[in-house]
Every structure is written in C-alpha cells, then in structure tokens.
Amino acid sequence: MAEYSTSPTGEKFRLPAPEDYLREFERLRRLVDDRRARGLEIVVVMGLGFVGAVMAAVVADAQDKHGNPTKFVIGMQRPSTRSYWKIPLINRGISPVSSEDPEVPLMINRCVNEKKTLIATYTFDALKLADVVILDVQCDYVKASLGNVCDGRADMGALEESLEIIGQYISPQTLVLIETTVAPGTTEQVAYPIVKKSFRKRGIEKEPLLAHSFERVMPGRNYVSSIRDFWRVCSGVNEEATQRVVKFLNEVINTEKFPLTVLDRPIESETAKIVENSFRATLLAFMDEWSLFAERNGVDLTKVIAAIKVRPTHSNIMFPGPGIGGYCLPKDGGLGLWAYRHIHGFEDDIFKMTPLAININDTRSLHVAQLTRDALRNMGRPIASAEILLLGASYREDVGDTRYSGSELIVRRLTEMGAELKVHDPYVLHWWEFEKQDEYPGNSHSLRRFFRGQEKLKDLRVEQDLNKALDGIDALILAVRHKHYLDLDPDEIVKNCGGPIAVVDCFGILDDEKIRRYFELGCEVKGLGRGHVKRIKDQVRVKREQILLNISTRKEDGNRGLTSTDLELLNNGHALAVED
Ligand SMILES: NC(=O)c1ccc[n+]([C@@H]2O[C@H](COP(=O)([O-])OP(=O)(O)OC[C@H]3O[C@@H](n4cnc5c(N)ncnc54)[C@H](O)[C@@H]3O)[C@@H](O)[C@H]2O)c1
C-alpha cells in the first residue's frame, strides 16, 4: 500500500516507491553536470528542518563579486511520512517552514524558480555528487523526568545514522560541515570514527574532512539574517578541513561584516555553542527566584529589571516568561553534561549551575497554573471545569514556533487540574504538540508523558478569532508577548467575555493602568513577578469604600454625582472583597 506524507495545509504526497529512486538520481545527475559545467560548487544540505531549509536557501543565494551564483544546493530529507512533504514543496519554490521573515519565502522561491540553484530530494545518492555536505539533522536530549535534566540522555540516533550514510556515499574530497548542536566531542570522537570506518570499508585511505560550525539562527523576523549576517565560529578536524570550512563560510556568509572565529579543534566550537546557550538559560533561571520574591513582597519585577537595565554592564538582564522554551535552551546544557560522562568518560559531578538552570526553566510554567487557580479561587470559582483561554502558544513573541514552549506546560498542567482549555495564537495554525501528541515530537518526546488526563488535548485547536475565543471564559492567561496582545483593552476584553474574569499576566504585558482597570471591572489579576498587583487591588478597594462612605453620609443624594466608574466599582465590589 502506498504511504503518504501530509503537509501542514493538508496536502497529501505519495512517498516515493523503490522504482522512483533511479529516475530521481538521474534527474539530479543531469542538473549537477549542468551546474558544474557553469562552475558552481555542489552542496548537499542534509535535514530540511528549521535550520537546514533556510541554510540551504542562504547557500543557494550566494554569489560572487559579479553577482553570479557560486553554489548549487540539493536539500536532502528522509522520505518519512512526517517530513517527506517538505521535498515537493521546496521543489515548487515554497518554504517548508512558516516564518515571520518575508525574506524566507522570497529567497526560496528566487533560488528554486529564478536562479535555479536550489532543489530538494529524498535520495541519499545525492551525497555522491557533493563537494560539500552540511549536516543539519537534529540531535535531541531525552529527559526521563520533568525538572531533572540529569535523568536523561543524548539521542544521537538521527545524527549517527546520517553520518553512517555520509561515510558510505561521499567522495573522499567532500567537506562535511556539521552544523547540528552536538554533545562536545562528537565531531572528533563520534563522527570521525564513523566516517573513517566507512571509508576503510570502501578502501579509502584519505582522512575524512570534517568540520563543525554551529548555527545561531533565530526563527523569527530576522530568520535569514540570523544565518547569513551573523558571527560564526568554526573548526576542522585537521588543517585541510579547517581551510576548507573557512573558505566555504567566507563564500556563503557575510563574514566581511561579521568576521569568523576559527578555533583550534571542533570540541571548542561545539563547547562554544553549549556554553552560549547554557549562559542564557542560567541568566533566565536566575530570575525565577526573584520573580517569586517579587510576587510575595509587593514588588513589580518588570520595573526592577527596567531600573537595572539602564546600567550598561547589566543590559542583558531579562524577565523570564512562563518557562524557557524553544528547541535549544532546554536541551543544550544536557548535551554538555552527557558528553562529560559518556563521551569523555568522567565519573565526577562537576556540573551544578547548568542542570539547575535547566531544571528551574523546565518547571517555571507550572507556577502559572497555581496563579490561575488562586485567581479563580479569589473569585469563588473552582479551577476544575473552569474555562480558560491561553493567549500565545509559541515559545517567544511574534514567531510561530511552539517547540517546548512554556505555554504547552501551562495547558498540560491546567488540564490535569480539570480545567477546560482554549488557545489563541495568530502565528500558529496547528499546535502539533497536542493535535499529534502520540507521534510529535518523535521518539516519545512528548511532554504528555509527565502529566495525566491528556488524551482530550488531541482535540485542542488554535482559535484565530480572539473575540469568539473570549466568549464565556472564566480566566485569561497572557502567556506570550505577541504584538497582538500588548494593547488589549480591559473594557473590550471583559465585554467580550460577558463579565469579570481572572487575568494572569505571565510576561509583564499589563501596565498598572490596565491592571487597575481590570480590578475596577471586577476582575482578579495575578502575574508572574508582579507582586504589586495586590497594592493596586487595595487602592481600588479603598476607593470603593470611600464611595460607599460618601453615599452613606449624604443619604439624601442617593447615587447622584457618582461617575460611571464609581458605579461600576460599587457593582463589582464582590471580587475586591475577597482577600488573597
Ligand atoms: N531551530 C533553532 O532555532 C536552532 C537554532 C540554533 C541551532 N539549532 C540546531 O540545529 C540543528 C537542527 O535543528 P532544526 O531546528 O533544524 O531541527 P528539525 O528537527 O527542524 O530538523 C531536522 C531535520 O532533519 C531531518 N533528518 C533527520 N535524519 C535525517 C537523515 N538521516 N537524512 C536526512 N534528513 C534527516 C528531519 O526529518 C528534520 O526535517 C539542531 O542541532 C539544533 O539544536 C536549531
């Protein structure tokens, strides 16, 4: 029976049959012969995910001083039911990754349909034709429990499989550039032996030309420039590999403006990536305890951070949202710990800060569920069966990437507590982590495994109409700083909800004026790191009491002379009456 791969928009593509492979290779060979004759170098990018698809286009778009293309790129992707659809889409000139950067679709279309420097394929035979192979497959870190990164392991399956295939197919002169974020030591101690062994089996004596240069890509508004116009670090396993990788990167990346850093050994490039991301994860985790301190002592952490940030030495202090997601920060430190023990063979426990930071970040969003429960409780509504709307599914503002987002954990935890969840995100059409939670992300990586009662979340759909989504909810969680959520008007929100609700601000989205207005409208407000909301609530309560006092001392006037806000305050007094 033919198997199919379905694109995110629902288009079905039949997976290639055995007899298709020969024809596909002939197609590639003809194209490569033609491009080589025109002086183009042949580059195969293995793995067309978030990084590989756009890197492939950046390389295909490279040109010499006269504006002529210098590379012909073959993007290669396993023909799995999950990913095969990317190949026919790219071959039409359509980007397989959705992006807020308009340059992504333009560049892919330009390279495929105008410059004819980019195609995609499913056959590993493409590797035989490559001068350079760029490896952009995933290298995951699998956690066995939530909040303990030490209880886990690196999943090198896709990487090792790719390297075995590379060793079997490439010519000895091919440069293999590993861009995947790997456990430090991988290029020399895992990749090199795998490729060397395959070479030996093929009777090739030459040393494999392997190099490492990690990606710093940010899939958002500056997706393309975060690859092309950004600083790179690289290193080769030997002199020849280093020279080749430096030459290649100089030809495809804007190294004139963003100079290359060449390190002595690949383990240094690999370590740079892990330290870079562990540093950021630690900065964010550090603020978690101060966020709790702020909540419990009437402090607004957003104002504290703004006050500190003016000092140039502290300008990278950050407000941690509801959990630190994205593909890289939750896992990269884990790859470091794992490498120390399992690649380099050390038994002692030198890592303290890195795992602690990841553990704090991995569980921070659970606190949002507690705040939501408390806010609802203050309004006399139980969390069980409360209808809650979450604004924002992605891991950071103004992108559609939901990988390991704090929002996912908020949904899972609140569902476990019996709440009914709705979600809105203007950048996300399908939240695959729920819709396909049995198979996505692969290899049982779904965070579902840490929670009970998750079955019904397969039916969770991302609402696109905010006003419709607001109708009838008990609580609203502002989870992501998407631009659409920064200026929401409390009056409009409450009107669309049909009455007062609990509002939980996870990302310093509400200013004091809006917080005050929500209280005046009878809502309850809580926020991560926003201890001062209690003070605003008290001010509103005092104001209401003053109005009541005035009325009782001027009985004959009745309600005359009261503003509409005063009247609202009187009507909505029940919410303010509840103590925290
Ligand atoms: N996404 C980011 O923001 C980001 C940023 C910096 C670095 N990185 C690193 O870049 C690497 C790739 O990340 P990604 O986000 O592109 O991952 P991804 O999961 O989106 O893409 C990996 C792709 O490789 C394909 N693949 C796996 N095995 C293959 C094989 N044998 N042959 C061909 N294709 C194969 C998969 O099907 C998938 O399409 C990771 O190491 C990641 O840590 C990612």
Side-chain angles (χ1 to χ4, degrees):
M1 265 243 299
E3 281 192 290
Y4 288 86
S5 170
T6 309
S7 76
T9 55
E11 193 175 355
K12 279 174 84 179
F13 297 95
R14 188 180 64 79
L15 259 50
E19 61 274 18
D20 295 328
Y21 280 73
L22 201 58
R23 216 174 320 122
E24 174 70 353
F25 185 53
E26 282 311 313
R27 174 178 87 100
L28 298 182
R29 210 206 308 256
R30 273 197 306 277
L31 287 165
V32 163
D33 286 349
D34 174 79
R35 303 304 189 273
R36 238 194 250 292
R38 296 196 220 164
L40 274 68
E41 194 173 37
I42 310 303
V43 181
V44 171
V45 176
M46 203 166 176
L48 297 173
F50 281 87
V51 176
V54 185
M55 178 63 184
V58 166
V59 177
D61 206 40
Q63 51 189 37
D64 63 17
K65 280 193 224 101
H66 310 290
N68 298 316
T70 55
K71 315 282 175 206
F72 179 63
V73 179
I74 306 174
M76 201 190 70
Q77 172 63 53
R78 278 180 308 191
S80 60
T81 46
R82 199 173 131 190
S83 298
Y84 172 72
W85 57 268
K86 297 176 189 175
I87 296 165
L89 279 199
I90 292 180
N91 284 331
R92 287 180 197 162
I94 297 170
S95 171
V97 291
S98 65
S99 164
E100 292 67 48
D101 182 352
E103 210 178 340
V104 171
L106 289 176
M107 186 184 242
I108 291 182
N109 181 49
R110 179 169 67 239
C111 292
V112 173
N113 292 321
E114 290 167 31
K115 296 172 105 176
K116 306 219 180 283
T117 50
L118 175 63
I119 58 164
T121 189
Y122 49 85
T123 174
F124 294 140
D125 281 330
L127 292 163
K128 293 179 186 163
L129 307 168
D131 300 311
V132 177
V133 173
I134 301 178
L135 194 54
D136 273 325
V137 304
Q138 70 274 27
C139 174
D140 288 320
Y141 186 84
V142 191
K143 293 169 188 164
S145 49
L146 185 64
N148 181 9
V149 66
C150 296
D151 185 16
R153 62 176 175 84
D155 176 3
M156 314 260 281
L159 190 77
E160 286 177 332
E161 184 195 304
S162 305
L163 288 160
E164 268 158 30
I165 296 162
I166 286 172
Q168 288 161 20
Y169 286 82
I170 59 167
S171 106
Q173 291 306 328
T174 306
L175 170 72
V176 179
L177 167 55
I178 300 172
E179 287 200 335
T180 299
T181 303
V182 291
T186 295
T187 303
E188 288 152 288
Q189 301 205 39
V190 179
Y192 181 85
I194 291 176
V195 180
K196 179 81 186 156
K197 201 166 141 199
S198 294
F199 272 19
R200 243 191 242 122
K201 273 194 200 151
R202 293 166 61 197
I204 300 168
E205 280 311 312
K206 193 172 178 344
E207 295 294 297
L209 296 173
L210 301 182
H212 183 261
S213 176
F214 58 89
E215 276 292 354
R216 286 170 163 155
V217 56
M218 294 290 283
R221 276 161 292 184
N222 303 315
Y223 208 147
V224 170
S225 62
S226 71
I227 293 183
R228 187 190 52 205
D229 309 310
F230 214 61
W231 296 272
R232 278 280 191 138
V233 178
C234 69
S235 183
V237 289
N238 54 33
E239 192 52 36
E240 190 183 351
T242 303
Q243 279 175 12
R244 286 278 303 276
V245 73
V246 168
K247 179 174 178 295
F248 179 74
L249 290 173
N250 278 329
E251 286 166 354
V252 296
I253 306 285
N254 185 359
T255 52
E256 247 169 54
K257 257 201 172 160
F258 303 91
L260 268 181
T261 302
V262 185
L263 295 176
D264 294 338
R265 291 177 54 198
I267 189 175
E268 289 169 334
S269 165
E270 295 162 341
T271 305
K273 172 68 181 181
I274 300 297
V275 174
E276 191 169 298
N277 277 348
S278 300
F279 170 67
R280 204 166 164 81
T282 307
L283 276 185
L284 288 155
F286 160 73
M287 293 309 288
D288 179 66
E289 59 204 29
W290 290 109
S291 176
L292 290 171
F293 174 90
E295 280 169 38
R296 292 169 190 172
N297 292 285
V299 173
D300 181 1
L301 190 67
T302 66
K303 295 191 194 103
V304 169
I305 287 176
I308 295 171
K309 244 178 162 24
V310 293
R311 194 179 158 176
T313 50
H314 289 53
S315 59
N316 62 356
I317 190 167
M318 281 171 291
F319 185 92
I324 310 309
Y327 185 43
C328 297
L329 260 55
K331 75 167 168 58
D332 285 359
L335 292 174
L337 318 177
W338 186 86
Y340 183 67
R341 192 162 284 231
H342 298 285
I343 295 184
H344 305 288
F346 289 95
E347 295 293 342
D348 60 341
D349 196 9
I350 58 167
F351 287 105
K352 306 280 183 280
M353 310 255 295
T354 302
L356 184 62
I358 292 179
N359 295 343
I360 289 170
N361 292 340
D362 279 357
T363 48
R364 177 165 161 84
S365 49
L366 301 178
H367 182 52
V368 177
Q370 292 176 359
L371 289 183
T372 312
R373 174 206 58 200
D374 293 347
L376 282 166
R377 196 155 53 188
N378 283 359
M379 298 182 81
R381 301 181 197 178
I383 186 92
S385 80
E387 203 166 304
I388 299 173
L389 174 64
L390 180 92
L391 296 190
S394 51
Y395 82 91
R396 61 189 286 260
E397 70 273 18
D398 300 325
V399 302
D401 189 346
T402 55
R403 292 189 287 179
Y404 302 109
S405 72
S407 296
E408 179 181 347
L409 252 75
I410 298 173
V411 170
R412 293 200 180 281
R413 182 73 179 120
L414 284 170
T415 300
E416 198 174 59
M417 289 161 82
E420 296 290 330
L421 267 294
K422 291 203 265 184
V423 60
H424 173 274
D425 193 310
Y427 298 98
V428 178
L429 289 179
H430 292 278
W431 201 348
W432 298 124
E433 281 81 351
F434 293 112
E435 274 188 50
K436 295 192 177 181
Q437 59 181 355
D438 290 340
E439 69 219 58
Y440 184 89
N443 302 336
S444 322
H445 287 195
S446 172
L447 294 174
R448 170 190 184 162
R449 66 193 188 279
F450 301 128
F451 298 87
R452 23 169 225 100
Q454 304 289 296
E455 190 58 25
K456 66 177 178 188
L457 288 172
K458 279 186 199 162
D459 299 326
L460 188 73
R461 294 292 176 270
V462 185
E463 309 266 356
Q464 297 300 321
D465 181 340
L466 181 55
N467 288 344
K468 203 171 128 212
L470 286 166
D471 188 23
I473 59 166
D474 297 292
L476 180 70
I477 302 176
L478 295 154
V480 185
R481 290 184 63 88
H482 288 329
K483 57 178 183 270
H484 310 69
Y485 303 148
L486 300 183
D487 294 316
L488 294 176
D489 175 29
D491 286 80
E492 283 294 308
I493 295 284
V494 172
K495 195 175 97 200
N496 284 313
C497 294
I501 53 164
V503 180
V504 180
D505 180 3
C506 304
F507 231 130
I509 292 172
L510 300 177
D511 59 21
D512 290 359
E513 208 182 304
K514 291 207 175 73
I515 294 170
R516 186 183 311 280
R517 188 63 192 142
Y518 276 118
F519 280 126
E520 286 171 356
L521 292 166
C523 298
E524 174 63 312
V525 183
K526 294 217 172 270
L528 286 178
R530 313 295 305 274
H532 73 309
V533 293
K534 174 75 167 56
R535 200 161 55 238
I536 299 176
K537 182 175 175 178
D538 287 343
Q539 288 164 359
V540 177
R541 196 193 337 242
V542 167
K543 193 174 161 199
R544 178 176 183 267
E545 279 160 9
Q546 271 169 358
I547 298 166
L548 282 172
L549 194 68
N550 284 348
I551 292 173
S552 64
T553 51
R554 294 182 289 115
K555 272 201 180 94
E556 69 283 5
D557 289 346
N559 282 353
R560 260 179 290 143
L562 294 181
T563 65
S564 57
T565 315
D566 293 343
L567 285 170
E568 260 165 20
L569 259 184
L570 293 178
N571 292 335
N572 296 327
H574 56 279
L576 294 165
V578 183
E579 286 295 336
D580 285 296

